[in-house]
Amino acid sequence: MRARLGILLSGRGSNFEAIARNVLNGKLPCEIALVFSNKPEAAGLQLARDLGLPHAAIKSAGVERTAFDAQVAALLKEHRVDWVCLAGYMRLLSSTFVSQFAGRILNIHPSLLPAFPGLDAQYQALTHGAKLTGCTVHFVDENLDNGPILLQAAVPVLDNDTVESLSGRILIEEHKIYSEAIAWVLRGDYRIEGRRVLKI
Ligand code: GRF
């Protein structure tokens, strides 16, 4: 049976779109079982609607984290989601949520972790004076931008870069490595040793 992805997003949804394109063109052997957003107005959710994919939203503002996450987990289970892909999901996950999908949650972050975790990673890289930055796909644990790293792509920081130009160049790589990482976990030919994700 094909693996079922649950995509969690809060905004634009360009990573979701790249994944969806690879599912539709057969490069990713899985189905998108649910696109969920904590922001009903997220552009990514509209995209899911346009693509005819199952989608749902619950407003997170003002809701206690564990209670909110329990609703999200129930929704994902209802849709028989095997793998959870965070794609610009602007919320920390509770440890209960993480343990319910242990080892089956992925995230993409726009820096070479562990450099520049958290918000505005491209701005952080630029203002720090980094000459190289990039993006990282990693497993998600209870800590922010912290779990074992699956794939990274490096991007040079140019002298005339702005946050926008740098972010755009990183995004091109994000769209490639997120699908590559998903394809890898779906193949299952990896093992985790400590923090290291190794090919088997
Ligand atoms: C991306 O830069 C991703 O790395 C970060 O949030 C942004 C989401 O962009 N986690 P999009 O919504 O996928 O276009």
Side-chain angles (χ1 to χ4, degrees):
M1 221 180 72
R2 283 157 77 84
R4 296 171 65 80
L5 303 188
I7 310 273
L8 270 50
L9 55 79
S10 303
R12 182 177 55 184
S14 73
N15 275 286
F16 153 56
E17 187 174 12
I19 294 165
R21 187 163 301 136
N22 284 326
V23 172
L24 291 173
N25 70 20
K27 284 190 188 150
L28 277 177
C30 56
E31 290 173 35
I32 297 181
L34 181 68
V35 180
F36 172 81
S37 183
N38 63 319
K39 305 246 183 225
E41 71 284 6
L45 208 55
Q46 182 59 46
L47 196 61
R49 244 175 245 127
D50 296 344
L51 291 172
L53 291 170
H55 57 275
I58 306 174
K59 262 192 200 166
S60 58
V63 187
E64 192 271 322
R65 187 177 311 283
T66 316
F68 182 80
D69 281 1
Q71 292 184 58
V72 181
L75 212 46
L76 292 170
K77 289 192 171 158
E78 209 174 285
H79 287 81
R80 292 176 287 117
V81 164
D82 306 303
W83 287 91
V84 178
C85 298
L86 309 184
Y89 188 59
M90 303 304 282
R91 277 183 68 81
L92 265 180
L93 296 174
S94 63
S95 51
T96 320
F97 183 96
V98 172
S99 61
Q100 279 177 280
F101 291 93
R104 290 183 291 128
I105 311 175
L106 308 182
N107 181 41
I108 185 145
H109 182 75
S111 76
L112 294 175
L113 290 171
F116 313 126
L119 290 176
D120 301 324
Q122 304 93 333
Y123 171 81
Q124 291 186 54
L126 198 59
T127 53
H128 194 85
K131 299 295 185 195
L132 267 184
T133 183
C135 48
T136 302
V137 182
H138 62 94
F139 285 106
V140 171
D141 63 16
E142 297 72 27
N143 299 310
L144 181 66
D145 300 329
N146 182 69
I149 292 170
L150 278 149
L151 290 178
Q152 294 186 302
V155 169
V157 181
L158 307 179
D159 286 353
N160 60 357
D161 260 334
T162 60
V163 173
E164 290 69 33
S165 63
L166 180 58
S167 301
R169 213 169 324 108
I170 294 171
L171 202 59
I172 293 171
E173 300 304 317
E174 292 187 36
H175 294 166
K176 293 181 197 157
I177 69 167
Y178 211 169
S179 289
E180 284 171 25
I182 293 169
W184 190 15
V185 298
L186 294 181
R187 282 196 310 275
D189 55 346
Y190 65 93
R191 69 175 200 278
I192 302 179
E193 268 183 28
R195 286 199 47 88
R196 303 183 72 200
V197 184
L198 305 173
K199 179 115 174 51
I200 50 175

